[in-house]
Amino acid sequence: MEMRGKKTVSAEQAELLRQIPSVDELLAQPRLAALSKRVDRNLVVEVARTALADLRARIAGDSNWTALGLSAASVEELISTEVERILSRSLQPVINATGVILHTNLGRAPLPETVVDEFRRTATQYSNLEYDLEAGARGKRDVHTGELLTRLTGAEAAIVVTLRCGRARHSRGAGPRGEVIVSRGELIEIGDGFRIPEIMEQSGAILREVGTTNRTHVRDYENAINEKTRVLLRVHPSNFKVTGFTDKPLLKELVALSQRSGLPLVEDLGSAAWLIFPSMASASPR
C-alpha cells in the first residue's frame, strides 16, 4: 500500500515560518496590550492564535508566499482589526429607499422616540411585569397589554406574542391531535426557513390540507370539517404567487363558515395590519 508522507516545506517556507511572531510577543505590542486591558484578554488571545495559525497554513500551502505582512507590527494590526470587527455593532443605520415602509430585511418600522423612551424607563429598572401589586402576589404579564387590546377591539380577551410563537399558537388551541384546516395553496415557506407544515407539527396539531395548489373553494373547507376539527386557518402567501387558473375563498366566505360551524378562524396576515372581524359571540360552540 502506498504510504502518504507528510508534506515537506522548502527552505524559504521554513524561514518564513520562523519569522512568525509568538502570541506572547504580539500581546506585548502596545496596541494589543492596551486592547487586552480594554476588552476580554481571552478574546485577544483567541484571535491572535487564529491569525497565526492562518499565516502558518498559508505559508505551508504556498511555496511562493512572501515575507510581506509577517512583522510583529503588521500582525498586530491584523489582530486588532479583527477584534474590533468582532466587538463592533453588527446593526447599522441605513436609508430605506425601497419604497416598502414595513421592510422585513430593513428592520420593519422604526420605533417612535416616545416608545423608545418608555422602553428605556421600564427596562432599566425592576418592574411589576409579572407581579400583582394590589394582591401582593405573583400575577400575569399578559394584563399589561391585554386590557388595552380588549378596550380597543371589544374582544373578551387578548394576548400579545412574538411572531413564531403566535404562529405556533394558531394551532395550539386545537389541543392534542386536533385538526387545523388549511388550503394546499397556503403551505408556504417564508423568511429564514419558516414553514407552515413544520410549525403545525411542532404545535401538536394535525394539518388537514384541502383544495389544490392553485384552486381552493370554501366548500373544500366545509367538506373537511369533522369532530376533530378545531381551527380554520388562512395564511398570507407573502411573496409567493400563483397566477393564471387560480381561485381561493374570500375572507367573508370563511368568516361565514366560521360562524356557521362555531370554529375559530385564524388568519396569519403576514404583516403589521390590524383588522377586526365581525363578532363570533353568537356562534354556538362545537
Side-chain angles (χ1 to χ4, degrees):
M1 183 175 64
E2 182 181 355
M3 299 296 293
R4 301 179 65 180
K6 294 183 178 180
K7 184 177 180 179
T8 59
V9 296
S10 65
E12 292 80 5
Q13 288 172 299
E15 177 58 29
L16 289 174
L17 290 172
R18 282 192 290 271
Q19 293 180 34
I20 296 177
S22 66
V23 173
D24 290 338
E25 182 182 353
L26 288 169
L27 293 181
Q29 295 293 314
R31 186 171 177 180
L32 290 187
L35 191 60
S36 297
K37 294 179 180 179
R38 182 167 63 87
V39 303
D40 185 359
R41 186 176 185 275
N42 291 329
L43 173 61
V44 181
V45 172
E46 177 188 343
V47 173
R49 288 173 175 168
T50 301
L52 296 183
D54 180 62
L55 286 174
R56 295 188 187 97
R58 290 164 62 186
I59 292 173
D62 185 359
S63 58
N64 295 320
W65 214 79
T66 66
L68 294 177
L70 283 181
S71 67
S74 60
V75 178
E76 177 190 27
E77 173 67 23
L78 178 68
I79 295 170
S80 299
T81 300
E82 177 61 12
V83 171
E84 296 290 355
R85 185 197 67 79
I86 294 173
L87 296 177
S88 65
R89 292 185 176 91
S90 60
L91 291 174
Q92 300 293 332
V94 299
I95 297 175
N96 181 6
T98 65
V100 179
I101 303 301
L102 295 178
H103 200 298
T104 302
N105 304 133
L106 301 182
R108 293 276 180 167
L111 294 175
E113 285 295 333
T114 53
V115 174
V116 175
D117 290 340
E118 183 65 18
F119 283 166
R120 186 180 297 112
R121 185 185 70 82
T122 56
T124 55
Q125 58 187 326
Y126 293 111
S127 68
N128 61 322
L129 172 64
E130 205 171 55
Y131 194 84
D132 188 328
L133 295 176
E134 294 184 1
R138 181 173 181 173
K140 300 286 186 180
R141 65 178 60 192
D142 304 333
V143 300
H144 303 287
T145 54
E147 182 178 355
L148 296 175
L149 286 173
T150 53
R151 286 180 175 274
L152 179 64
T153 64
E156 294 181 1
I159 187 172
V160 177
V161 295
T162 57
L163 182 63
R164 282 188 180 272
C165 180
R167 280 170 170 155
R169 286 184 185 222
H170 281 181
S171 58
R172 194 162 291 161
R177 314 315 294 166
E179 293 186 357
V180 176
I181 301 177
V182 65
S183 169
R184 286 188 173 91
E186 297 174 356
L187 298 180
I188 59 170
E189 174 182 331
I190 63 172
D192 188 19
F194 164 69
R195 293 180 171 183
I196 290 292
E198 292 177 1
I199 293 297
M200 289 295 143
E201 181 180 354
Q202 292 175 13
S203 73
I206 298 175
L207 199 61
R208 174 71 68 176
E209 303 171 15
V210 297
T212 62
T213 303
N214 62 315
R215 289 178 69 85
T216 303
H217 307 283
V218 70
R219 64 175 181 271
D220 295 320
Y221 289 84
E222 192 159 15
N223 292 338
I225 294 175
N226 59 55
E227 67 280 358
K228 296 181 180 179
T229 307
R230 297 296 180 271
V231 174
L232 305 176
L233 178 61
R234 175 184 169 103
V235 182
H236 190 282
S238 189
N239 296 327
F240 170 70
K241 294 184 182 301
V242 178
T243 60
F245 190 61
T246 63
D247 195 14
K248 62 184 297 184
L250 297 174
L251 179 57
K252 64 180 182 181
E253 294 180 298
L254 291 177
V255 169
L257 175 60
S258 171
Q259 292 175 331
R260 292 197 305 271
S261 63
L263 292 167
L265 168 63
V266 176
E267 180 172 28
D268 183 347
L269 292 173
S271 66
W274 183 268
L275 296 177
I276 302 177
F277 297 129
S279 173
M280 292 173 49
S282 61
S284 59
R286 291 180 63 85

